[in-house]
Amino acid sequence: MAAERGARRLLSTSSFWLCCLLLLGRRASGAAATRSGSPPQSPESSIRTFTPFYFLVEPVDTLSVRGSSVILNCSAYSEPSPKIEWKKDGTFLNLVSDDRRQLLSDGSLFISSVVHSKHNKPDEGYYQCVATVDSLGTIVSRTAKLTIAGLPRFSSQPEPSSVYAGNSAILNCEVNADLVPFVRWEQNRQPLLLDDRVIKLPSGTLVISNATEGDEGLYRCIVEGGGPPKYSDEAELKVLPDPEVVPNLVFLKQPSSLVRVIGQSAVLPCVASGLPTPTIRWMKNEEALDVESSERLVLLAGGSLEISDVTEDDAGTYFCIADNGNETIEAQAELTVQVQPEFLKQPTNIYAHESMDIIFECEVTGKPTPTVKWVKNGDMVIPSDYFKIVKEHNLQVLGLVKSDEGFYQCIAENDVGNAQAGAQLIILEHAPATTGPLPSAPRDVVASLVSTRFIKLTWRTPASDPHGDNLTYSVFYTKEGIARERVENTSRPGEMQVTIQNLMPATVYIFRVMAQNKHGSGESSAPLRVETQPEVQLPGPAPNIRAYATSPTSITVTWETPLSGNGEIQNYKLYYMEKGTDKEQDVDVSSHSHTISGLKKYTEYSFRVVAYNKHGPGVSTQDVAVRTFSDVPSAAPQNLSLEVRNSKSIVIHWQPPPPATQNGQITGYKIRYRKASRKSDVTETLVTGTQLSQLIEGLDRGTEYNFRVAALTINGTGPATDWLSAETFESDLDETRVPEVPSSLHVRPLVTSIVVSWTPPENQNIVVRGYAIGYGIGSPHAQTIKVDYKQRYYTIENLDPSSHYVITLKAFNNVGEGIPLYESAVTRPHTVPDPTPMMPPVGVQASILSHDTIRITWADNSLPKHQKITDSRYYTVRWKTNIPANTKYKNANATTLSYLVTGLKPNTLYEFSVMVTKGRRSSTWSMTAHGTTFELVPTSPPKDVTVVSKEGKPRTIIVNWQPPSEANGKITGYIIYYSTDVNAEIHDWVIEPVVGNRLTHQIQELTLDTPYYFKIQARNSKGMGPMSEAVQFRTPKASGSAGKGSRLPDLGSEYKPPMSGSNSPHGSPTSSLDSNMLLVIIVSVGVITIVVVVIIAIFCTRRTTSHQKKKRAACKSVNGSHKYKGNSKDVKPPDLWIHHERLELKPIDKSPDPNPIMTDTPIPRNSQDITPVDNSMDSNIHQRRNSYRGHESEDSMSTLAGRRGMRPKMMMPFDTQPPQQSVRNTPSTDTMPASSSQTCCTDHQDPEGATSSSYLASSQEEDSGQSLPTAHVRPSHPLKSFAVPAVPPPGPPTYDPALPSTPLLSQQALNHHIHSVKTASIGTLGRSRPPMPVVVPSAPEVQETTRMLEDSESSYEPDELTKEMAHLEGLMKDLNAITTA
């Protein structure tokens, strides 16, 4: 810093003298640029110095693995601090909106998680750091390559082998080179330790020398480069004793040619096997290598040679010689050493004035020989007439202008790497004139001599200074039409002529002359226009020019010496240009052939050659055109889409790869598809020619398939698209009726046309073959146009301006046309045309991210290929949903090619379109993209909950409701909660699951004259919604009085009261009871009471008191659990009474069946589904309920009354039946699903997991005499209980069209030992029954009591049950006779 300040003080004190010297010495030497010195300026001007601007740290080549983080270091120094940006593969990175890549404070690039897959490699590539200071310029760093270790793939794996003791063995494990550092070995599944005897070669191969018995075992190699480790096949290595027959000497591993960079290590593998054990020695270029005395040469296990810190002298041919005394074998390999580019001479800073010529010097070395390119302020310098590459590496700038100021960098690059060095150019202002007269313009400027290559100018002194002895002159000249001016100064004061050299023949130049005195520059002369003479001594065209492709990226051009050389040919200039562009490039060639590399694949180029002699360039040859070879496509086909035709076929559509990536003539496409569930079973089909769609037939119905397409050229197959999925229909689309009305129709009137767009009908199950568009002034029937079913928009042309048109749209198929949709529009008036509209965005895609967010992306064909927005254009995104139909569009603006739409409704179909605006120009709306947001749990409860009593059945109520207003998805089920205590914990309420397509449900066996509270909760695929408010309902009172503890029988809606006197034994009507009748009733009640007590006593004697206590305690312990009411959807009543012909088990996640009879039914799938939970688990209550899924029959009823008509029942042991098909996860054609009926209070489990089913009530409920039915159900094992139907009764069944309902019973607990007998109805096994309504006859309440008693003894043998039944029926007949009497 002190030296710099001293230099500045010296500059300040000496600036006056430098200025004087500049004014006095404006000769040819004065025109030379000042290198790395102080600028010659006057005392009055501000001092401009070179600004230090350079990189402190530059990025280096980096190897990483996917999923890891990477930092590419970069730091630049300048005052003020520079702005750091990054380029990847030549394109600037947008780090503002990138959530994975970010710019650190020091300028380094941080990638948080590297992404890398077979077809998506966004992070791998070449990175370059760009530093910019606005007032100064821009510099670029060296280019660093980020390599991502690919997915582990074994090119060779270890194979079983054997080795003789003391010999060497190798086990191959070759992976892609990037993953070699991540390879390790295991022996017998244990990590293998490497030492001097056991080594791993750079390729990953394992070498074991001097094998012993301890080396036997199973070997495998593991690659741990990002993601889960990948294991190779296991191979067994056996160590054998000495054989009887001596084996020959052979190489197990030979050296191969190797390329290494100076400073790296090189390993030349060489392993031999034989008996006796061979020794290995090495030679280089016919000279023996002394490995022992060298510090850089090491002989590894098995004989491989390692060379550390490789130098250029190590390059050469190496020989590996194996000798065992009996035989000698030899192998050789070439070691090539490369050197990174290095600067022998770096560019230096330069001061210069406008119109001067300068040269930046740059000398580099390296192996291979580096190529040099120049960059100015970060942009490539393209050679031209004023920017020339001289002496292979130097940059010459002719006729400087102010815009040439900045930083110039010399970038050297070869196969090994690249390097950069830079310098600054400062253009100085001419020193202002001092006080004093300035000379006028020189007079009579003429071209006294005009030649092909030079012009001599002469003039007279200015009128202001006739003598002009002290005047110097500057001649400024330029080509006509070129703004860049060059200058030539006279060699001494007073000289009034100058010769301008190195001009072009037959070219017009403009000259002007200025005089300078001690005060400054004077006036300029008038411009003089002079044309040089045409060339006559120049070479003619080079004959026999030929060009031919040598590879997909290179072309070789050959020619011969011109016939009329007009002297010795010094060199040739080869010009070439890509067809369709106007940018011609050139290269200097000293021979008669040259190969141009780095060309585009399968692209046509034109070439011409110009020969140069000492006079300059000769006549150009005619252009010859040639196309580079084709190659496999470098990009996948675009816009892959799938169209499901029916249940057996899918149509694939695609577009060719971008033209620049086709790399040849597309000869066809390869389609690969597979079932989503069987990813290894891939089917291939080829499509030849330019066909862009294919029908894939013979698929399975209702199955998801994955598809991908790759383009073919004659060279092979290009990359394939990503897998795209589609699912075939469960059933074929319907074409027995016309399509429904299209879901939307939009029109956009223009002056002479109307753009019509629409969306298809909402019902996608009906075939649509196309759309018919009708239009006309005032009537839509004037003209009709039909378009394809895939089309979503159409432009009606040739309309009248300012006219009212009516438009109709109808979908049609082979049956006919559907219902039309009408719209009207008025075309715009014919006015001065607006600015030409822009092209609308293309490729609009909607990516669903969540239930309320969709990302919209698009492409803009009016942008360059790299899709970088450099102007002030912006995009407008609009979206709407068609439900309700009058929804308005919402709009948002974006300045990038994507937009995140938030705040959407769940499970809602939205349509999106995009337009672009630039200034006053706007495009039309793009084609629409559609997306349906994901589902969300319902956010509102079911509404309009009402409870009514069923007519004629006071103990049966009907609950009605409407779906939630915010269902947020398809409702898959409802849960009805009811209780007599509105303040009870929710897990103490009784629940009733109901399938999602039902909006009504009936509940039976409620207690009369009791207030009940009801809540309903909806469920979709995402979970449970909120509960509705509690609705109170009081069951009606009994129509008559009954004795204490008795309940009035539910006679049903079909019960008719007896006619007057019909029950009198004498047939006479009686209006009141006399004393005899009253006595009979009292006696009857007493007898009934005695009979009941006797029956209860009989049953009680069959139990032990201890068992009753245990079961009552178990039932009481269930407090806090859900009381699931057994019904046809959830938990069945005892196996004794279940209708087996309705039994069915269905998978939980079966796709919806179009049959309306088949609907969801909650089926507990395991013991955790309805296991009671304590208070600590209340938070999981809703998750537990989510497990209730399945199907429910439309007419299903599971009431006790519905089973009374099924008596008597015939039972038989289940084990005696024919074997039944497994029911777990097996679809069935029955419409009535079965549920596992399990017992909550049974403390004995059958060894085979079978459970006995019954309904139990707590003893508290029995003692209190309350009639609120509550069932505690506790499953013990899923899908183990089977219901058994009885033989149907002989009488015709009666059908009650009641709603699905479920009884809720209070019963006694079962005995401790329950001998569960699996039973099935005779004649129903293995057959599917059609849906049958459940028989629901009315029956007296007394029979119901009897049935309850029978249920409590469900473990009886069949003959015991028959006897008990007959006995009870006899008792009931006696009681009825007494009552009637």
Side-chain angles (χ1 to χ4, degrees):
M1 294 299 293
E4 183 178 349
R5 287 195 296 271
R8 293 193 178 188
R9 286 197 295 271
L10 179 61
L11 176 67
S12 177
T13 57
S14 60
S15 60
F16 174 77
W17 300 108
L18 289 172
C19 181
C20 293
L21 289 173
L22 180 65
L23 292 173
L24 293 175
R26 291 192 60 84
R27 295 183 298 274
S29 61
T34 305
R35 296 182 179 274
S36 300
S38 301
Q41 294 180 336
S42 64
E44 296 83 7
S45 63
S46 61
I47 299 174
R48 294 189 60 195
T49 60
F50 296 110
T51 305
F53 189 14
Y54 52 88
F55 285 100
L56 299 171
V57 179
E58 293 185 74
V60 296
D61 296 348
T62 304
L63 171 66
S64 181
V65 296
R66 60 175 180 170
S68 65
S69 60
V70 172
I71 292 182
L72 296 174
N73 294 313
C74 177
S75 178
Y77 172 81
S78 177
E79 291 293 337
S81 297
K83 172 188 175 184
I84 301 295
E85 295 175 286
W86 283 85
K87 283 184 177 181
K88 177 183 179 292
D89 298 332
T91 302
F92 279 98
L93 292 176
N94 181 10
L95 301 177
V96 176
S97 58
D98 199 329
D99 55 353
R100 288 190 310 105
R101 295 180 284 205
Q102 59 180 333
L103 190 67
L104 302 183
S105 58
D106 64 345
S108 300
L109 178 65
F110 175 69
I111 304 176
S112 60
S113 178
V114 171
V115 175
H116 190 82
S117 63
K118 183 177 181 181
H119 302 292
N120 184 28
K121 303 176 181 179
D123 293 334
E124 191 174 63
Y126 293 89
Y127 289 79
Q128 191 174 40
C129 179
V130 182
T132 303
V133 176
D134 290 337
S135 60
L136 211 57
T138 299
I139 58 175
V140 297
S141 72
R142 72 178 298 276
T143 301
K145 183 180 181 182
L146 175 59
T147 304
I148 311 301
L151 298 177
R153 291 184 180 84
F154 296 100
S155 55
S156 67
Q157 301 194 47
E159 297 178 352
S161 60
S162 57
V163 59
Y164 296 112
N167 253 306
S168 298
I170 66 167
L171 293 166
N172 290 318
C173 177
E174 295 182 2
V175 298
N176 32 330
D178 300 332
L179 288 171
V180 170
F182 307 100
V183 173
R184 65 179 179 85
W185 282 85
E186 287 185 356
Q187 179 186 10
N188 297 324
R189 302 291 178 94
Q190 298 297 321
L192 180 64
L193 299 179
L194 304 179
D195 51 25
D196 295 337
R197 192 178 62 85
V198 180
I199 66 167
K200 182 186 73 174
L201 295 179
S203 64
T205 299
L206 184 68
V207 178
I208 302 174
S209 62
N210 193 18
T212 64
E213 290 183 1
D215 295 324
E216 282 189 334
L218 295 175
Y219 288 81
R220 66 176 181 180
C221 66
I222 301 99
V223 182
E224 297 177 316
K230 185 166 185 178
Y231 297 86
S232 71
D233 296 337
E234 277 192 332
E236 184 179 10
L237 177 66
K238 294 182 179 180
V239 178
L240 305 177
D242 291 344
E244 297 179 359
V245 180
V246 177
N248 294 330
L249 180 62
V250 294
F251 278 116
L252 299 179
K253 189 78 173 179
Q254 297 188 39
S256 57
S257 295
L258 200 60
V259 177
R260 282 293 177 266
V261 179
I262 187 170
Q264 293 182 341
S265 296
V267 175
L268 297 170
C270 185
V271 181
S273 174
L275 285 179
T277 302
T279 58
I280 302 291
R281 55 189 175 90
W282 286 86
M283 298 180 65
K284 175 192 172 187
N285 298 335
E286 306 298 330
E287 294 181 7
L289 289 177
D290 188 1
V291 177
E292 297 179 357
S293 62
S294 174
E295 296 180 357
R296 296 190 303 109
L297 302 180
V298 177
L299 205 59
L300 302 178
S304 300
L305 178 65
E306 181 181 25
I307 307 173
S308 59
D309 195 16
V310 170
T311 65
E312 287 189 78
D313 295 335
D314 293 326
T317 304
Y318 288 79
F319 297 85
C320 173
I321 304 170
D323 185 3
N324 67 349
N326 298 329
E327 296 178 82
T328 300
I329 55 177
E330 179 181 292
Q332 69 179 43
E334 188 78 15
L335 174 61
T336 303
V337 178
Q338 296 181 334
V339 182
Q340 294 183 343
E342 294 180 2
F343 288 97
L344 301 177
K345 188 173 186 180
Q346 298 189 8
T348 56
N349 298 330
I350 296 177
Y351 284 112
H353 288 90
E354 286 188 77
S355 303
M356 292 173 56
D357 301 338
I358 64 165
I359 293 180
F360 284 108
E361 295 182 342
C362 179
E363 291 184 23
V364 297
T365 183
K367 190 175 182 181
T369 302
T371 60
V372 170
K373 60 184 178 181
W374 284 85
V375 171
K376 177 208 167 190
N377 287 334
D379 296 324
M380 190 75 64
V381 174
I382 299 175
S384 64
D385 290 340
Y386 295 92
F387 286 84
K388 296 179 180 291
I389 305 296
V390 295
K391 294 184 179 179
E392 295 185 347
H393 298 153
N394 298 338
L395 175 66
Q396 182 182 36
V397 184
L398 304 177
L400 290 176
V401 295
K402 186 65 177 176
S403 61
D404 291 334
E405 194 174 72
F407 283 87
Y408 290 78
Q409 291 175 273
C410 174
I411 298 180
E413 183 177 359
N414 63 9
D415 295 340
V416 184
N418 60 88
Q420 61 84 23
Q424 184 180 5
L425 170 63
I426 292 182
I427 305 255
L428 298 174
E429 299 289 341
H430 287 288
T434 58
T435 304
L438 296 175
S440 59
R443 294 173 292 174
D444 301 332
V445 178
V446 295
S448 58
L449 180 60
V450 178
S451 179
T452 58
R453 295 286 172 174
F454 66 91
I455 292 177
K456 183 178 181 181
L457 293 180
T458 59
W459 57 89
R460 292 197 302 128
T461 57
S464 60
D465 193 348
H467 300 288
D469 294 335
N470 296 322
L471 295 181
T472 59
Y473 298 88
S474 294
V475 178
F476 296 89
Y477 65 99
T478 182
K479 285 184 182 180
E480 190 177 44
I482 302 298
R484 190 179 285 269
E485 218 176 28
R486 300 181 66 185
V487 63
E488 188 76 25
N489 297 312
T490 54
S491 58
R492 62 183 181 272
E495 186 179 20
M496 289 179 290
Q497 67 176 15
V498 71
T499 300
I500 309 298
Q501 302 281 353
N502 299 321
L503 302 181
M504 299 294 294
T507 305
V508 176
Y509 289 86
I510 307 297
F511 298 86
R512 64 184 181 91
V513 184
M514 291 179 64
Q516 295 99 14
N517 61 14
K518 62 181 180 179
H519 302 294
S521 299
E523 297 178 8
S524 172
S525 66
L528 174 66
R529 184 177 183 274
V530 182
E531 182 176 4
T532 55
Q533 296 293 329
E535 182 72 73
V536 293
Q537 299 296 325
L538 298 176
N544 297 330
I545 178 173
R546 294 190 308 113
Y548 55 92
T550 54
S551 76
T553 58
S554 62
I555 292 176
T556 298
V557 185
T558 63
W559 60 90
E560 296 178 1
T561 305
L563 299 177
S564 55
N566 295 323
E568 182 182 356
I569 301 298
Q570 293 181 341
N571 70 323
Y572 299 90
K573 191 178 286 289
L574 173 62
Y575 295 87
Y576 62 97
M577 180 172 60
E578 180 183 344
K579 185 178 181 181
T581 66
D582 55 359
K583 180 182 175 182
E584 190 174 45
Q585 303 180 64
D586 61 80
V587 60
D588 291 330
V589 182
S590 58
S591 61
H592 292 95
S593 66
H594 187 74
T595 300
I596 305 291
S597 302
L599 303 179
K600 296 181 180 178
K601 298 178 180 179
Y602 198 68
T603 303
E604 187 173 350
Y605 289 86
S606 62
F607 297 86
R608 64 186 181 92
V609 175
V610 176
Y612 279 72
N613 62 11
K614 63 181 180 179
H615 302 293
V619 181
S620 173
T621 64
Q622 295 292 325
D623 287 352
V624 293
V626 67
R627 186 185 295 273
T628 52
F629 287 155
S630 62
D631 199 358
V632 297
S634 55
Q638 306 177 94
N639 302 330
L640 179 65
S641 63
L642 304 177
E643 176 190 348
V644 181
R645 278 288 177 87
N646 50 46
S647 63
K648 295 287 186 180
S649 62
I650 294 177
V651 180
I652 312 174
H653 300 273
W654 64 88
Q655 292 297 320
T661 64
Q662 293 182 10
N663 301 337
Q665 191 73 32
I666 300 296
T667 59
Y669 296 89
K670 180 182 291 184
I671 301 172
R672 305 183 72 195
Y673 62 95
R674 66 192 184 190
K675 290 183 180 180
S677 59
R678 299 179 61 186
K679 295 187 177 181
S680 60
D681 188 8
V682 179
T683 304
E684 281 190 4
T685 181
L686 291 178
V687 177
T688 58
T690 58
Q691 183 177 336
L692 298 177
S693 64
Q694 177 68 20
L695 176 65
I696 305 297
E697 297 182 298
L699 305 178
D700 295 340
R701 64 175 66 241
T703 304
E704 183 180 1
Y705 285 86
N706 298 332
F707 295 85
R708 72 192 313 177
V709 180
L712 302 174
T713 63
I714 59 174
N715 304 86
T717 306
T721 61
D722 292 334
W723 291 102
L724 192 62
S725 300
E727 185 176 351
T728 54
F729 297 138
E730 283 284 351
S731 58
D732 292 332
L733 295 181
D734 181 15
E735 201 171 6
T736 60
R737 47 184 174 149
V738 298
E740 295 183 358
V741 62
S743 55
S744 69
L745 172 63
H746 305 285
V747 296
R748 183 172 182 265
L750 302 176
V751 179
T752 59
S753 61
I754 296 177
V755 180
V756 182
S757 61
W758 62 90
T759 53
E762 291 184 2
N763 187 354
Q764 301 288 321
N765 295 323
I766 303 177
V767 175
V768 175
R769 299 290 181 185
Y771 297 91
I773 304 171
Y775 65 95
I777 298 178
S779 170
H781 306 298
Q783 295 190 53
T784 301
I785 297 170
K786 290 190 175 183
V787 298
D788 189 69
Y789 73 99
K790 293 178 290 185
Q791 198 157 333
R792 294 293 179 266
Y793 72 96
Y794 183 79
T795 302
I796 305 174
E797 305 281 0
N798 303 321
L799 304 181
D800 297 331
S802 303
S803 301
H804 184 275
Y805 283 87
V806 179
I807 301 165
T808 181
L809 176 71
K810 294 178 286 186
F812 66 87
N813 56 20
N814 294 334
V815 178
E817 295 181 345
I819 302 173
L821 197 59
Y822 292 90
E823 192 63 77
S824 62
V826 178
T827 52
R828 297 180 181 178
H830 189 73
T831 59
V832 177
D834 292 335
T836 306
M838 301 182 69
M839 295 177 62
V842 298
V844 181
Q845 294 184 349
S847 303
I848 294 87
L849 302 182
S850 68
H851 66 275
D852 65 348
T853 304
I854 294 180
R855 181 185 293 277
I856 308 301
T857 57
W858 60 89
D860 191 345
N861 280 345
S862 62
L863 289 176
K865 290 183 179 180
H866 57 71
Q867 293 283 292
K868 183 178 180 181
I869 302 172
T870 58
D871 48 29
S872 59
R873 70 181 64 198
Y874 66 91
Y875 302 88
T876 303
V877 183
R878 72 173 184 180
W879 65 92
K880 65 167 290 188
T881 178
N882 294 325
I883 302 174
N886 58 352
T887 305
K888 295 182 178 180
Y889 279 104
K890 292 185 179 180
N891 297 282
N893 293 336
T895 57
T896 60
L897 297 178
S898 66
Y899 183 74
L900 203 64
V901 183
T902 58
L904 304 179
K905 297 180 180 178
N907 193 45
T908 304
L909 174 65
Y910 286 87
E911 64 178 47
F912 303 87
S913 54
V914 187
M915 68 181 292
V916 58
T917 302
K918 179 182 177 183
R920 295 179 56 246
R921 300 172 59 205
S922 297
S923 71
T924 58
W925 289 104
S926 68
M927 295 182 65
T928 58
H930 296 80
T932 302
T933 51
F934 294 149
E935 291 188 0
L936 183 67
V937 296
T939 52
S940 66
K943 58 186 180 179
D944 302 337
V945 181
T946 60
V947 182
V948 297
S949 177
K950 186 170 183 180
E951 184 179 356
K953 292 187 177 182
R955 295 176 58 222
T956 300
I957 59 95
I958 300 174
V959 185
N960 303 300
W961 64 91
Q962 292 299 317
S965 56
E966 298 176 2
N968 300 338
K970 179 183 178 182
I971 298 299
T972 59
Y974 297 92
I975 293 183
I976 301 175
Y977 297 79
Y978 65 92
S979 173
T980 57
D981 183 6
V982 70
N983 296 320
E985 293 292 336
I986 192 63
H987 51 256
D988 288 330
W989 291 49
V990 183
I991 70 171
E992 287 275 353
V994 183
V995 293
N997 61 347
R998 303 197 61 86
L999 299 176
T1000 182
H1001 186 71
Q1002 79 174 28
I1003 302 175
Q1004 298 185 11
E1005 305 299 338
L1006 300 181
T1007 306
L1008 297 176
D1009 193 21
T1010 302
Y1012 284 87
Y1013 299 90
F1014 297 86
K1015 296 182 180 180
I1016 303 184
Q1017 189 177 26
R1019 177 185 71 238
N1020 60 17
S1021 64
K1022 292 297 182 181
M1024 309 295 298
M1027 294 185 186
S1028 64
E1029 294 294 330
V1031 175
Q1032 181 182 2
F1033 179 80
R1034 178 180 288 274
T1035 51
K1037 299 180 180 179
S1039 58
S1041 62
K1044 182 178 180 180
S1046 66
R1047 293 182 297 179
L1048 290 179
D1050 189 353
L1051 300 179
S1053 60
E1054 297 180 1
Y1055 173 73
K1056 297 180 180 180
M1059 298 297 293
S1060 177
S1062 61
N1063 290 333
S1064 174
H1066 304 291
S1068 60
T1070 58
S1071 60
S1072 62
L1073 297 174
D1074 53 16
S1075 58
N1076 293 332
M1077 181 59 69
L1078 182 60
L1079 181 60
V1080 170
I1081 290 175
I1082 294 173
V1083 172
S1084 301
V1085 171
V1087 173
I1088 291 172
T1089 302
I1090 294 171
V1091 171
V1092 170
V1093 170
V1094 170
I1095 293 173
I1096 292 175
I1098 293 173
F1099 289 139
C1100 288
T1101 57
R1102 296 172 182 255
R1103 305 191 185 140
T1104 65
T1105 305
S1106 62
H1107 289 172
Q1108 291 178 355
K1109 290 180 181 179
K1110 289 181 181 179
K1111 288 177 177 153
R1112 287 175 182 170
C1115 288
K1116 291 178 182 179
S1117 67
V1118 186
N1119 288 338
S1121 65
H1122 282 290
K1123 300 170 177 59
Y1124 282 82
K1125 185 172 181 180
N1127 56 24
S1128 61
K1129 286 86 59 188
D1130 185 8
V1131 181
K1132 291 289 186 180
D1135 291 352
L1136 193 60
W1137 310 117
I1138 290 182
H1139 296 215
H1140 197 285
E1141 66 270 15
R1142 307 296 297 276
L1143 178 63
E1144 180 183 5
L1145 296 176
K1146 294 183 178 294
I1148 293 178
D1149 295 324
K1150 183 175 178 181
S1151 302
D1153 196 303
N1155 184 0
I1157 299 177
M1158 304 294 288
T1159 58
D1160 290 347
T1161 300
I1163 300 179
R1165 290 294 175 181
N1166 52 50
S1167 60
Q1168 285 77 21
D1169 284 349
I1170 55 175
T1171 301
V1173 297
D1174 56 21
N1175 294 333
S1176 65
M1177 299 174 65
D1178 288 345
S1179 60
N1180 298 327
I1181 186 109
H1182 296 295
Q1183 299 177 8
R1184 300 287 181 95
R1185 295 190 188 116
N1186 290 346
S1187 62
Y1188 287 83
R1189 300 182 183 174
H1191 294 271
E1192 179 186 41
S1193 172
E1194 290 283 344
D1195 56 356
S1196 62
M1197 290 192 66
S1198 178
T1199 66
L1200 183 64
R1203 302 187 187 95
R1204 291 171 185 151
M1206 303 302 292
R1207 192 186 308 132
K1209 298 181 183 296
M1210 180 178 292
M1211 301 297 176
M1212 62 187 299
F1214 187 80
D1215 296 338
T1216 63
Q1217 299 299 316
Q1220 294 206 42
Q1221 189 177 1
S1222 172
V1223 297
R1224 179 179 294 274
N1225 293 332
T1226 305
S1228 171
T1229 58
D1230 290 342
T1231 60
M1232 181 61 197
S1235 299
S1236 297
S1237 300
Q1238 284 116 349
T1239 310
C1240 79
C1241 297
T1242 304
D1243 36 298
H1244 171 74
Q1245 293 287 337
D1246 188 81
E1248 295 182 4
T1251 59
S1252 181
S1253 305
S1254 71
Y1255 287 91
L1256 305 176
S1258 66
S1259 59
Q1260 294 176 354
E1261 292 178 279
E1262 294 182 45
D1263 297 339
S1264 61
Q1266 293 186 8
S1267 58
L1268 173 63
T1270 304
H1272 296 270
V1273 182
R1274 181 166 187 168
S1276 60
H1277 195 282
L1279 308 180
K1280 286 294 186 179
S1281 178
F1282 290 81
V1284 184
V1287 177
T1294 60
Y1295 302 103
D1296 185 2
L1299 297 170
S1301 60
T1302 304
L1304 207 59
L1305 304 177
S1306 298
Q1307 290 185 321
Q1308 296 287 346
L1310 295 179
N1311 288 339
H1312 179 68
H1313 290 284
I1314 300 175
H1315 302 281
S1316 177
V1317 181
K1318 300 178 183 178
T1319 58
S1321 61
I1322 298 176
T1324 62
L1325 294 176
R1327 291 193 297 168
S1328 299
R1329 292 286 185 96
M1332 292 179 60
V1334 179
V1335 180
V1336 190
S1338 300
E1341 189 64 20
V1342 180
Q1343 293 185 8
E1344 178 180 329
T1345 305
T1346 308
R1347 174 61 54 86
M1348 292 169 59
L1349 296 174
E1350 291 175 348
D1351 287 350
S1352 66
E1353 294 294 329
S1354 59
S1355 60
Y1356 284 2
E1357 294 298 327
D1359 24 342
E1360 288 182 63
L1361 288 172
T1362 304
K1363 293 178 182 179
E1364 293 291 340
M1365 297 268 296
H1367 178 64
L1368 290 175
E1369 286 179 0
L1371 290 176
M1372 301 316 298
K1373 290 179 181 179
D1374 296 339
L1375 290 174
N1376 285 334
I1378 295 172
T1379 305
T1380 305

